[in-house]
Amino acid sequence: QGNWFDAVSGSAILEGPVETHEAFFVSHHASQWLRRQADGYQPFFLRVDVWGPHPPYLVAPPFVDSIKTQDISRYPNFDSNLQHRPDHHQDYQEYWSEELAFNWSQWKQQLARCHEHSALVDSAMGRILLTLNQTKQAQNTIVIYTSDHGDAIASNGGIANKGALMVEETCRIPLIIR
């Protein structure tokens, strides 16, 4: 039906309410669990893991098309041939240039969906924080927000994923503690 999946950008549009997205489904169940804990005043540990942002970038309204490709600046190392890097970096770049021979315009499409997916996930996780506030647990709860890895998407000569490059784009991840 329509063009819900864009193979070039490695993304898809969820044709349903945002609440049916995996991140919102998980945050809903986490919030329900937190509500059940609110009455007991017992210490608890809750770990919440969601898929994204991760390719394929599955985005639902109102996040679809919220990032404009013209607002995405060309990455400084997008055109790098990585000749100054170790051989395995160059091999990885060669793999991705065969797998995804994207020009900058195509990468911007994928980056836009990636950023939209990030915003969607942040919104879903925000619902958990809202639940902590509503149940009066926020002041007694340590929240740690982080990720397992970054993504080299469109960087280092046009590569993607994480691989074994250990570049800034894959090593620098969010860490917020409240």
Side-chain angles (χ1 to χ4, degrees):
Q1 156 104 17
N3 61 351
W4 70 274
F5 183 74
D6 181 351
V8 171
S9 68
S11 65
I13 296 171
L14 180 62
E15 293 180 347
V18 72
E19 290 79 14
T20 62
H21 190 281
E22 169 267 346
F24 278 86
F25 175 80
V26 170
S27 71
H28 170 75
H29 284 282
S31 292
Q32 284 184 321
W33 188 88
L34 286 168
R35 283 187 179 84
R36 289 192 301 271
Q37 302 310 307
D39 296 336
Y41 300 106
Q42 293 295 318
F44 65 85
F45 174 84
L46 174 63
R47 178 177 165 165
V48 179
D49 294 300
V50 295
W51 170 259
H54 196 287
Y57 303 109
L58 179 59
V59 183
F63 300 94
V64 175
D65 296 329
S66 61
I67 303 293
K68 304 300 178 207
T69 58
Q70 66 266 22
D71 295 336
I72 299 173
S73 299
R74 189 179 191 95
Y75 287 0
N77 65 6
F78 176 73
D79 296 310
S80 175
N81 61 15
L82 306 186
Q83 293 304 306
H84 61 288
R85 300 274 193 84
D87 290 344
H88 74 279
H89 284 223
Q90 296 169 39
D91 293 343
Y92 196 70
Q93 182 189 41
E94 184 177 322
Y95 166 80
W96 280 107
S97 67
E98 292 171 8
E99 192 71 20
L100 297 173
F102 287 176
N103 61 36
W104 180 247
S105 178
Q106 292 166 313
W107 275 117
K108 286 196 319 183
Q109 292 173 22
Q110 188 169 19
L111 285 163
R113 287 290 187 247
C114 174
H115 295 316
E116 291 164 356
H117 197 179
S118 296
L120 183 150
V121 168
D122 285 349
S123 179
M125 296 302 99
R127 290 186 172 199
I128 297 171
L129 297 177
L130 181 62
T131 300
L132 286 170
N133 289 337
Q134 291 169 341
T135 59
K136 311 264 188 277
Q137 297 176 90
Q139 294 302 319
N140 297 321
T141 303
I142 297 170
V143 176
I144 301 171
Y145 187 81
T146 191
S147 176
D148 57 345
H149 62 81
D151 194 331
I153 182 171
S155 68
N156 295 282
I159 62 172
N161 215 319
K162 55 189 182 285
L165 297 187
M166 298 299 289
V167 293
E168 187 71 13
E169 293 83 357
T170 60
C171 293
R172 183 179 294 268
I173 60 171
L175 175 62
I176 301 169
I177 301 174
R178 184 194 85 173

